[in-house]
Amino acid sequence: GQNIDQPTEMTATEGAIVQINCTYQTSGFNGLFWYQQHAGEAPTFLSYNVLDGLEEKGRFSSFLSRSKGYSYLLLKELQMKDSASYLCAVREENSGAGSYQLTFGKGTKLSVIP
Amino acid sequence: EADIYQTPRYLVIGTGKKITLECSQTMGHDKMYWYQQDPGMELHLIHYSYGVNSTEKGDLSSESTVSRIRTEHFPLTLESARPSHTSQYLCASSEYHSPEAFFGQGTRLTVV
């Protein structure tokens, strides 16, 4: 089983930088994902970390520390369209089954204000 | 652009009815998933499949059933709908060794 924690809501100003944290507890860790979900829409994939360190993709970066069970998503040069929920998800290997399961956190609702 | 489709987008049905939510993907993905999401809440995995004739239950108990007779098709069935089944159902698929899952637009189900 897993326990994934992330803040419920955050507010940031257009043009600023915001960091959304995610902590998790799991056995059989096999990767951490960030998804973006606009209200009423399907989640879309943002990033994937399986090794410690920072992955950068344009204005978005994601960091992972496996020893600390910690990740963050960094959004730079915020735009109004970045207002959405950001979902942290952990993939866990099912013990002995050779299969994987992806579990989502509750999501962080980010509001970008002018 | 992801090619995964869910129908219907919205459905309102009466208690006790049998319904099937359709999900199809044209990407040849082996892995497919069904998630349930209440408004403002997290996604809960209810079913998944790693290929034809493979189906497993997820971490959230569900009264629904699924089948995977063809790679591209992963329907979810409720034999007797109840108001507690009111929710959004999201289907997703991924390549076997890829970390990226593609989601459909979802089916918003209301049982009255």
Side-chain angles (χ1 to χ4, degrees), chain B residues 1 3 8 32 39-40 46-47 59 61 75 82 86 89 111:
Chain B
E1 191 77 17
D3 295 313
M32 295 189 75
I46 51 175
H47 296 284
D59 57 3
S61 175
R82 297 207 302 270
T86 294
Y89 294 84
V111 183

Side-chain angles (χ1 to χ4, degrees), chain A residues 35-113:
Chain A
Y35 280 81
Q36 180 191 59
Q37 186 178 26
H38 286 97
E41 297 185 13
T44 55
F45 173 82
L46 289 178
S47 69
Y48 167 65
N49 295 69
V50 67
L51 299 176
D52 291 351
L54 189 69
E55 294 283 340
E56 297 186 77
K57 190 186 292 185
R59 294 189 297 116
F60 294 2
S61 303
S62 57
F63 172 83
L64 174 67
S65 169
R66 289 172 295 171
S67 62
K68 295 181 180 178
Y70 168 69
S71 173
Y72 67 72
L73 179 70
L74 193 71
L75 292 77
K76 303 175 187 175
E77 302 169 17
L78 280 173
Q79 302 174 9
M80 300 299 289
K81 67 178 183 179
D82 296 330
S83 293
S85 285
Y86 291 86
L87 313 178
C88 174
V90 175
R91 186 166 68 181
E92 180 181 35
E93 181 174 4
N94 296 323
S95 56
S99 61
Y100 302 92
Q101 188 155 306
L102 188 65
T103 301
F104 284 83
K106 294 185 178 182
T108 298
K109 185 177 179 181
L110 174 66
S111 299
V112 180
I113 58 176

Side-chain angles (χ1 to χ4, degrees), chain A residues 33 35 37 40-45 48 87 91 94 98-107, chain B residues 9 31 35 37 40-43 45 48 50 59 88 90 96 98-101 103-105 108:
Chain A
F33 301 73
Y35 280 81
Q37 186 178 26
E41 297 185 13
T44 55
F45 173 82
Y48 167 65
L87 313 178
R91 186 166 68 181
N94 296 323
S99 61
Y100 302 92
Q101 188 155 306
L102 188 65
T103 301
F104 284 83
K106 294 185 178 182
Chain B
R9 285 292 308 275
K31 292 183 175 179
Y35 288 88
Q37 184 181 34
M41 301 296 288
E42 67 264 50
L43 285 84
L45 181 67
Y48 60 99
Y50 285 136
D59 57 3
Q88 176 164 255
L90 287 158
Y96 201 86
S98 171
E100 183 174 357
F103 282 82
Q105 289 297 303
R108 193 171 296 278

